[in-house]
Amino acid sequence: MLSENLQNLFNAQIAIENTASYEYLHLAIWCASNGFDESAKFFFKQSDEERSHMLKLIHYTLERESVVKAGYPAPSTLKIETIFDVLQTFYDNEKKVTASVYKLVDTATEERDYNAVQFLQWYVQEQHEEETLARTLIEKANLIGREGSYRYFIDQMIGKSGG
Ligand SMILES: [Fe+2]
Ligand SMILES: [Fe+2]
């Protein structure tokens, strides 16, 4: 069984991944509704991935004979006006997720729960990849700029990044 403290943090992480899934769905819909079809595909896929991160945590928490509190994410308050807002939202969110993963690893380490520490290494690696991806997309979008057919080129660039 996970300690009560870890159970709470695992549940918080489940909620965070669920919110990420929900917010990326919101970004995907914004992209699809504003002519960014390749970016929409990218964020639909990101949304699915976040859901799989949530499920992985749920299964692990259950395997540790601990309580999972299923919750619904709060309605999105995201204000998206440009594709740059989409990318910044992605990056900011990934940084938030990383901070909460680190908090979990800190606590699991303090409690000498090495099973949980090992399980969480996957999330540490995942966050490294996600933050690098989000940051790279912002850098490339800035290189393309905000003139002429930039919307088209940014959309192609996001689509090619694969995610
Ligand atoms: Fe995630
Ligand atoms: Fe992510």
Side-chain angles (χ1 to χ4, degrees):
M1 214 175 167
L2 293 166
S3 70
E4 205 187 321
N5 200 9
L6 275 178
Q7 274 187 56
N8 289 335
L9 288 174
F10 267 87
N11 275 286
Q13 192 65 32
I14 288 164
I16 281 171
E17 302 286 353
N18 199 20
T19 300
S21 175
Y22 183 72
E23 299 219 315
Y24 295 168
L25 192 60
H26 186 91
L27 297 182
I29 292 166
W30 184 91
C31 290
S33 310
N34 286 276
F36 293 95
D37 292 349
E38 296 302 316
S39 308
K41 281 184 218 157
F42 174 91
F43 282 106
F44 279 124
K45 191 170 158 230
Q46 287 293 323
S47 175
D48 282 347
E49 281 178 16
E50 299 302 345
R51 181 178 154 77
S52 79
H53 300 167
M54 174 190 71
L55 289 172
K56 209 173 152 87
L57 287 160
I58 289 175
H59 291 307
Y60 179 77
T61 307
L62 291 171
E63 279 162 23
R64 294 292 305 272
E65 299 174 275
S66 301
V67 178
V68 173
K69 293 169 225 136
Y72 294 96
S76 179
T77 53
L78 294 177
K79 294 237 179 340
I80 305 296
E81 275 162 17
T82 70
I83 193 68
F84 291 93
D85 296 340
V86 169
L87 295 178
Q88 194 61 48
T89 300
F90 180 35
Y91 188 35
D92 291 346
N93 191 67
E94 291 302 328
K95 283 193 284 190
K96 251 189 270 167
V97 176
T98 301
S100 73
V101 167
Y102 283 12
K103 195 173 160 204
L104 248 175
V105 175
D106 281 345
T107 307
T109 305
E110 276 161 26
E111 293 187 9
R112 300 170 61 92
D113 187 336
Y114 297 120
N115 191 302
V117 170
Q118 193 192 30
F119 170 80
L120 291 166
Q121 291 313 301
W122 184 89
Y123 285 84
V124 172
Q125 177 62 29
E126 171 68 16
Q127 285 315 115
H128 170 71
E129 288 166 17
E130 295 271 85
E131 277 195 34
T132 304
L133 173 62
R135 200 179 55 246
T136 306
L137 292 180
I138 290 173
E139 286 165 5
K140 287 184 181 166
N142 284 333
L143 284 176
I144 293 168
R146 297 168 190 245
E147 277 168 39
S149 307
Y150 74 95
R151 290 184 191 83
Y152 173 78
F153 291 113
I154 290 177
D155 189 42
Q156 292 294 308
M157 179 276 288
I158 294 172
K160 283 197 194 97
S161 75

